[in-house]
Amino acid sequence: MTQNSSPPNRHGPLTVLAVDDEAPALDELAYLLGNEEAVGEVVTAADATTALRVIKDRPDTIDAVFLDINMPGLDGLELAGVLAAFANPPAVVFVTAHDDRAVRAFDLGAVDYLLKPLRAQRLSESVRRVVELREQRDVSTTPPGPTAEADSDEVIAVEMGGATTLVQRSAVLWVEAEGDYSRLHTETGSHLVRIPISTLENRWEKAGFLRVHRSYLVLLRRVTGIRTVGSGTVVCLGPGQDGAPVELPVSRRHTRELKDRLVRSSKQGR
């Protein structure tokens, strides 16, 4: 049994993600992490893109990412840069054979920087730091008010043709539900993300997004008007990808709230 110096975790065991494109190194990292008393679950990924997908599929459940730097495609430093833009990013610990990237790693907010070959005692120190960081966040974090959430522009990482693109929430005009996925529509294109529209509705409400239909979520400040079409109502947005104005249906149960929110926004603008 590997000895370690990790302190008891008063907030429950950690869920950690181990990332390395070399199978033997990944197996060793996962094994050593699994021996840590403070670690309850170890998830693995063979590349940074897969790791990002895991984190997106399990929002706010991955406590820490232990990752290599040199990997094909999206490398470890680039992944850390993406995670740094998250509202509640997991702790990042680099595990690498290269000692010349430490400055950049800590600039990205890394908790620790481990050199291969790994030593169990040194890994235990990193786990201890992750536990301490989570405890500090639990103590210092208070629920953000509307202004704080509105001022923090969330970044969504989307995959297109094998490449990862970052889309800012403020660039999204409207969101369309596609099953368990959502399509983010901007003035320059659309991006499919594996996030249910109900999740985005809750996360983005205080940033000015409103559900107007079971299939649509819109950014209120981009609404140019509403009008009646036959027996229904549509909301008018600014120009979409093709330059033409966008019109989306508004369900009957959302019409009253949409009108009230637009009136309130107009009064605040004065």
Side-chain angles (χ1 to χ4, degrees):
M1 182 71 175
T2 302
Q3 298 297 317
N4 65 71
S5 58
S6 299
N9 190 346
R10 297 191 301 272
H11 300 273
L14 297 171
T15 298
V16 300
L17 174 61
V19 190
D20 200 309
D21 64 312
E22 296 182 358
L26 181 59
D27 290 343
E28 179 188 24
L29 177 58
Y31 172 77
L32 292 175
L33 285 169
N35 282 339
E36 292 293 320
E37 181 183 351
V39 175
E41 180 183 4
V42 180
V43 186
T44 61
D47 57 74
T49 300
T50 301
L52 185 58
R53 186 180 302 117
V54 170
I55 295 168
K56 289 162 58 181
D57 288 348
R58 300 181 57 169
D60 300 326
T61 62
I62 302 295
D63 296 299
V65 183
F66 288 73
L67 74 157
D68 190 17
I69 289 182
N70 287 347
M71 292 183 287
L74 190 70
D75 69 23
L77 291 172
E78 291 170 331
L79 174 59
V82 172
L83 297 180
F86 281 27
N88 297 298
V92 173
V93 175
F94 287 102
V95 183
T96 177
H98 303 277
D99 61 1
D100 59 346
R101 306 287 187 87
V103 173
R104 175 61 177 151
F106 286 113
D107 282 345
L108 290 168
V111 173
D112 209 347
Y113 191 92
L114 305 181
L115 290 176
K116 298 177 181 178
L118 279 175
R119 293 184 294 113
Q121 184 176 0
R122 184 66 181 85
L123 182 66
S124 293
E125 171 64 17
S126 293
V127 172
R128 184 186 66 79
R129 294 183 182 184
V130 171
V131 171
E132 289 182 349
L133 177 64
R134 187 170 71 166
E135 290 177 345
Q136 291 169 6
R137 287 177 175 175
D138 288 344
V139 171
S140 63
T141 301
T142 56
T147 302
E149 289 206 11
D151 290 343
S152 178
D153 193 3
E154 183 178 344
V155 176
I156 301 292
V158 299
E159 296 173 32
M160 295 180 60
T164 300
T165 302
L166 304 182
V167 178
Q168 289 184 303
R169 181 186 60 204
S170 59
V172 178
L173 299 174
W174 52 288
V175 181
E176 180 179 9
E178 294 192 12
D180 291 333
Y181 292 72
S182 295
R183 184 169 294 280
L184 311 180
H185 292 268
T186 70
E187 290 182 348
T188 58
S190 67
H191 310 276
L192 190 65
V193 296
R194 192 174 180 179
I195 306 175
I197 194 170
S198 58
T199 299
L200 292 179
E201 177 187 6
N202 293 330
R203 275 166 53 177
W204 291 3
E205 178 185 6
K206 292 180 180 177
F209 281 82
L210 180 68
R211 189 78 169 265
V212 298
H213 188 277
R214 62 185 177 86
S215 297
Y216 300 109
L217 181 68
V218 302
L219 179 58
L220 284 173
R221 65 181 177 82
R222 300 302 295 265
V223 172
T224 59
I226 57 176
R227 66 189 186 93
T228 301
V229 176
S231 59
T233 302
V234 298
V235 60
C236 308
L237 303 176
Q241 182 180 357
D242 59 0
V246 175
E247 293 189 348
L248 302 174
V250 180
S251 64
R252 185 171 300 174
R253 71 186 186 93
H254 288 105
T255 300
R256 171 67 66 181
E257 183 179 3
L258 173 60
K259 291 179 178 178
D260 289 346
R261 289 284 296 273
L262 289 176
V263 169
R264 290 202 302 269
S265 296
S266 176
K267 289 181 178 178
Q268 290 172 359
R270 295 173 191 166

